[in-house]
Structures are given as C-alpha cells and as structure tokens.
Amino acid sequence: MISNNKIVVLLTGTINPNSFKTLVLIDPEVRKKQYIDAISYYLIKTSYNIVFTENSGVSLKKYFKGFEDRIEFLVYKLEKEDKEKDKGKGFKELGIIDYTIENSKRIREAEYIIKITGRLKVLNLNILVDKFLAKNKKNSEIVSCNIFKLKKMDSRCFIFSLDFWPYLKNERENVNLNYSFEMALWNSVICYNLKEGVFKQLFSPLRIKGVSGGFGTSYDHGLLKFKIKQIIHVLRTPFWYNKILK
C-alpha cells in the first residue's frame, strides 16, 4: 500500500504572467488570490504533501505559516521573452515541472506525482487517486491522465511515476503556440507506453472549479453536467485505448 507521503501534489504557478500569447487572465492580484484559494483547498481537503512552484519570482510562503510539514514552496524568476520568441504558457509550465523535479526534496522522495495547474481545484481528486492506487497495484511505472480529444491529453491534472518525466521532458523543446502541452503529453504517453511504462486513463473526468487562464471562462462542472461527462468518459474509453495502443 502506498502511503500518502509518497504521493505529492505538484501545483504549477505564475502570478505575474510571462507569456504574451494564449493567456487572457493576466491580473497578478486575481491570479494570486486564485493560487492561495487552491492551495488552501488541497491542504484542507486532501492529506497529500504539496509542492507549489512559481516561476515569476513571487513567493506565497508567508500565507501558509504553520503548514511547513505539508507544503514546500519553490520560486524562480523567468524573464519575459520577445513576442516573436514566446513559446506560450504550455512551454513555461513544462519548465516549472522540470525545475521542480530538479530541486524539490519532496518530489525526489515521492513514488507518484500529481501535477495540477495551480489555480484549479480538482474536486474529485481524492477518489481519482484512490481508484488509481487500487487499480494499479502491480504497475509502479505508470502515467494516468484523460484524453481531451484525439492527439491531445488533458494536461490540467495527471498522475505519473518519475520514470515518465524524461519522455515528457523530451517533448518540451517542441512545444510552441502550434504544438501544445496537450499534444506533447499525448505523444510522450504513446512513446512511454511502447517502451517501458503503462498508460491508464483516470477513473473519471476531472471535476474542476476555477477559471481558465487561456480563455478566462469559469469551468462549469456542476453535478448534473459531471454525471453526463462520466457517461461519455466510460463510453469513449475503449475507442481512446485503441488509438493509444495501436
């Protein structure tokens, strides 16, 4: 049985946006409040250790005094690039994951990493992780995420063992405004599944509360809509697996 201290939630953050394109939600104060709300949610609603990594030089550590046993804060500053050279927020988010894996003590000690876009609350995270652990007792080398659409994975939340990271890292340099994080995740999953690891979809769709940074719209994951998504998820799963495993 995997103990909770071997599962780490990695929350990625950018309070002062450093991408010129593919980002609508740019107010630093609004973004900071959303990060604080999300971190608070995971501290209260889950029992997992947390790493919050921020890439615009802003630390939120002072807002969480007394939680040092649960959360690690990493901060570095990525300067803005020229508009012509900007590869978009997906490229930078992958950079945050890379920095975290290189510098986080909690990550090095973990068996599984749950990567979550830092402003979002995954309301069904506990059941997703419980089902993941129950179904994958024999698979220590694994990546588990949901397919967004053909050739795109849902990058907002996924679970992986550390041996998967080199495959995704290898795709990072290809990411730009035309080749998204979601596409990179799809291709790295296929490569990983073929060579050494196992791919599994998550037990159900993500039930998310928050605001899209790319479009500025609120996620509507009320119970009725989520139930419909669950039915679609189950019906589509065999089709998606055929596309991944072919």
Side-chain angles (χ1 to χ4, degrees):
M1 181 68 180
I2 302 296
S3 62
N4 279 1
N5 62 0
K6 293 297 184 180
I7 303 171
V8 175
V9 173
L10 166 54
L11 300 175
T12 57
T14 303
I15 291 173
N16 291 307
N18 44 37
S19 287
F20 291 95
K21 300 175 182 177
T22 68
L23 197 65
V24 171
L25 186 58
I26 59 175
D27 187 321
E29 289 302 313
V30 172
R31 294 176 67 87
K32 181 171 75 172
K33 182 181 182 303
Q34 291 175 346
Y35 286 122
I36 292 172
D37 287 347
I39 293 169
S40 299
Y41 173 82
Y42 292 112
L43 284 171
I44 294 169
K45 296 295 185 179
T46 80
S47 58
Y48 312 121
N49 289 329
I50 299 167
V51 178
F52 178 74
T53 305
E54 205 279 343
N55 75 344
S56 68
V58 181
S59 176
L60 299 180
K61 189 174 182 179
K62 66 181 181 181
Y63 297 100
F64 295 95
K65 292 180 180 179
F67 289 97
E68 291 82 3
D69 62 326
R70 288 277 313 280
I71 187 165
E72 176 185 8
F73 289 93
L74 298 178
V75 180
Y76 67 103
K77 189 169 184 179
L78 186 67
E79 300 296 337
K80 289 184 179 181
E81 300 172 307
D82 295 336
K83 289 184 178 181
E84 292 75 19
K85 297 179 181 179
D86 186 12
K87 292 187 175 183
K89 61 184 178 65
F91 178 81
K92 294 178 174 67
E93 188 172 15
L94 284 164
I96 294 175
I97 301 172
D98 192 27
Y99 182 89
T100 307
I101 289 174
E102 290 293 326
N103 292 279
S104 169
K105 180 180 178 181
R106 290 190 186 274
I107 292 292
R108 288 194 297 270
E109 296 174 347
E111 294 190 27
Y112 296 115
I113 300 168
I114 308 168
K115 177 272 168 189
I116 303 175
T117 301
R119 296 176 302 98
L120 304 179
K121 302 171 187 176
V122 182
L123 303 182
N124 58 336
L125 182 64
N126 286 321
I127 190 170
L128 289 176
V129 177
D130 287 347
K131 293 291 185 180
F132 168 83
L133 294 174
K135 288 190 171 184
N136 298 297
K137 293 178 180 178
K138 296 182 180 180
N139 299 319
S140 59
E141 299 175 340
I142 190 168
V143 57
S144 188
C145 51
N146 284 338
I147 298 170
F148 173 61
K149 59 174 64 174
L150 193 59
K151 297 187 177 182
K152 287 185 178 182
M153 294 291 183
D154 191 337
S155 66
R156 295 172 299 177
C157 175
F158 57 96
I159 307 172
F160 63 98
S161 52
L162 272 172
D163 64 300
F164 168 69
W165 172 243
Y167 292 86
L168 185 53
K169 182 177 180 178
N170 189 56
E171 287 290 328
R172 183 190 176 222
E173 290 305 314
N174 299 321
V175 172
N176 54 40
L177 299 179
N178 298 312
Y179 182 70
S180 66
F181 187 163
E182 292 78 9
M183 294 175 182
L185 187 54
W186 172 280
N187 286 328
S188 59
V189 163
I190 290 177
C191 186
Y192 177 70
N193 189 74
L194 287 173
K195 291 186 176 180
E196 65 175 291
V198 174
F199 162 72
K200 295 287 185 181
Q201 280 218 96
L202 293 171
F203 168 72
S204 76
L206 304 176
R207 188 180 179 198
I208 288 180
K209 184 175 182 180
V211 178
S212 166
F215 301 99
T217 54
S218 296
Y219 289 108
D220 178 16
H221 287 182
L223 192 56
L224 177 59
K225 188 171 184 178
F226 178 66
K227 290 294 184 182
I228 295 172
K229 285 179 175 287
Q230 281 185 309
I231 294 171
I232 295 172
H233 180 87
V234 171
L235 293 176
R236 281 182 174 176
T237 293
F239 170 77
W240 292 135
Y241 272 106
N242 286 335
K243 295 296 181 181
I244 291 290
L245 303 176
K246 67 178 181 178

